[in-house]
């Protein structure tokens, strides 16, 4: 699995995202899901998810929340943060979400479309007491339940193509195509020539066929 960015930035990214959500929720009194939508719409979420060090290292969570509001709503925020003792469920949700996004390389939009931030916050108990990898396993379970189709199947269907047509045009056995779509075979471990052949027929990049979780 290819991570979203260099691990050297991960710990800082977790702190920044956690503090941003905590500040927006407690100090600015935004609904968590509504604020996170602003984060996504602002374009900062994609930059953050790509490991933009000017955001991850160059900003605090409070500063990031403020520029999100300024960019999306045109409002200047000067509310002073109140630092609570210990981590709030909102802080933990941002901290854990940053780790999951880094691990999977999914965009924040893709993640919260399947599992809204409010539902991640609700996972605080008992997951804040567990290893973050257990949280990631549960998130992947939720994500797959909301996105049961593989990328291969989704792209084939969007191209109005049957499995047999895809097999014939790509030169890949029909049974193999079916196994990839049903996750009986891991397409991430497919031969390079198979990925290239499928992507040519589907008019996509080979990377678009890879399952991130």
């Amino acid at each position: 699995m290819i991570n979203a960015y260099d691990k050297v930035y991960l710990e800082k990214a977790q702190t920044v995202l956690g503090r941003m959500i905590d500040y927006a929720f407690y100090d600015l009194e935004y609904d968590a899901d509504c604020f996170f939508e602003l984060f996504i719409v602002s374009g900062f979420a994609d930059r953050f998810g790509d490991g933009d060090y000017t955001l991850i290292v160059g900003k605090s969570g409070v500063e990031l929340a403020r520029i999100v509001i300024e960019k999306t709503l045109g409002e200047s925020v000067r509310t002073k943060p109140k630092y609570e003792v210990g981590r709030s469920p909102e802080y933990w949700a941002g901290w854990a979400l940053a780790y999951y996004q880094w691990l999977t390389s999914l965009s924040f939009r893709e993640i919260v479309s399947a599992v809204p931030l409010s539902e991640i916050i609700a996972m605080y108990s008992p997951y804040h007491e567990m290893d973050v990898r257990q949280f990631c396993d549960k998130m992947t379970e939720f994500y797959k339940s909301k996105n049961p189709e593989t990328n291969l199947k989704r792209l084939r269907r969007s191209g109005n193509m049957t499995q047999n047509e895809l097999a014939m045009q790509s030169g890949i056995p029909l049974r193999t195509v079916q196994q990839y779509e049903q996750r009986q075979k891991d397409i991430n471990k497919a031969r390079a020539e198979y990925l290239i052949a499928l992507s040519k027929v589907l008019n996509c990049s080979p990377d678009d066929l890879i399952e991130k979780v």
Side-chain angles (χ1 to χ4, degrees):
M1 181 180 292
I2 300 175
N3 302 129
Y5 50 86
D6 196 308
K7 192 175 183 179
V8 70
Y9 296 123
L10 176 58
E11 186 174 349
K12 176 63 174 173
Q14 290 179 269
T15 300
V16 170
L17 200 69
R19 188 68 186 110
M20 180 192 75
I21 295 171
D22 180 274
Y23 175 69
F25 185 83
Y26 288 101
D27 297 303
L28 304 184
E29 300 183 349
Y30 276 87
D31 172 82
D33 289 324
C34 289
F35 177 80
F36 208 76
E37 179 63 21
L38 294 179
F39 178 52
I40 292 171
V41 169
S42 71
F44 292 127
D46 284 339
R47 288 173 54 189
F48 191 100
D50 288 337
D52 185 337
Y53 72 92
T54 63
L55 295 180
I56 295 175
V57 179
K59 304 287 183 185
S60 69
V62 170
E63 289 172 329
L64 185 53
R66 287 173 173 170
I67 63 173
V68 165
I69 299 299
E70 185 174 355
K71 174 87 179 278
T72 56
L73 303 179
E75 300 175 2
S76 180
V77 177
R78 292 290 179 267
T79 304
K80 291 185 178 180
K82 306 181 191 71
Y83 291 92
E84 301 294 336
V85 176
R87 296 192 304 185
S88 68
E90 290 72 22
Y91 178 96
W92 172 83
W95 178 88
L97 177 55
Y99 186 95
Y100 187 69
Q101 189 278 324
W102 168 82
L103 180 69
T104 61
S105 296
L106 290 166
S107 70
F108 285 111
R109 168 68 77 190
E110 289 174 307
I111 296 171
V112 299
S113 291
V115 190
L117 180 60
S118 56
E119 292 184 16
I120 297 174
I121 293 170
M123 294 170 67
Y124 175 77
S125 182
Y127 284 94
H128 76 287
E129 296 179 337
M130 300 181 184
D131 188 292
V132 70
R133 288 170 293 185
Q134 292 176 280
F135 162 79
C136 291
D137 289 343
K138 192 63 176 179
M139 284 289 291
T140 295
E141 180 183 322
F142 286 151
Y143 183 85
K144 285 185 175 181
S145 70
K146 296 288 182 66
N147 296 277
E149 290 189 345
T150 61
N151 291 336
L152 176 61
K153 184 175 182 178
R154 177 178 54 79
L155 288 165
R156 175 181 61 77
R157 287 164 63 93
S158 67
N160 296 314
M161 186 177 295
T162 66
Q163 290 179 334
N164 190 54
E165 288 172 334
L166 177 58
M168 291 181 65
Q169 292 184 39
S170 65
I172 295 173
L174 173 59
R175 182 57 184 149
T176 301
V177 170
Q178 292 172 334
Q179 288 174 322
Y180 285 148
E181 289 197 358
Q182 295 165 7
R183 293 194 173 99
Q184 293 175 358
K185 278 189 174 182
D186 186 357
I187 198 168
N188 293 4
K189 297 178 181 178
R191 290 153 51 180
E193 56 265 34
Y194 275 17
L195 292 175
I196 293 170
L198 289 168
S199 66
K200 284 182 177 179
V201 175
L202 296 170
N203 294 313
C204 67
S205 164
D207 288 343
D208 294 333
L209 299 172
I210 297 299
E211 297 294 312
K212 295 181 180 178
V213 296

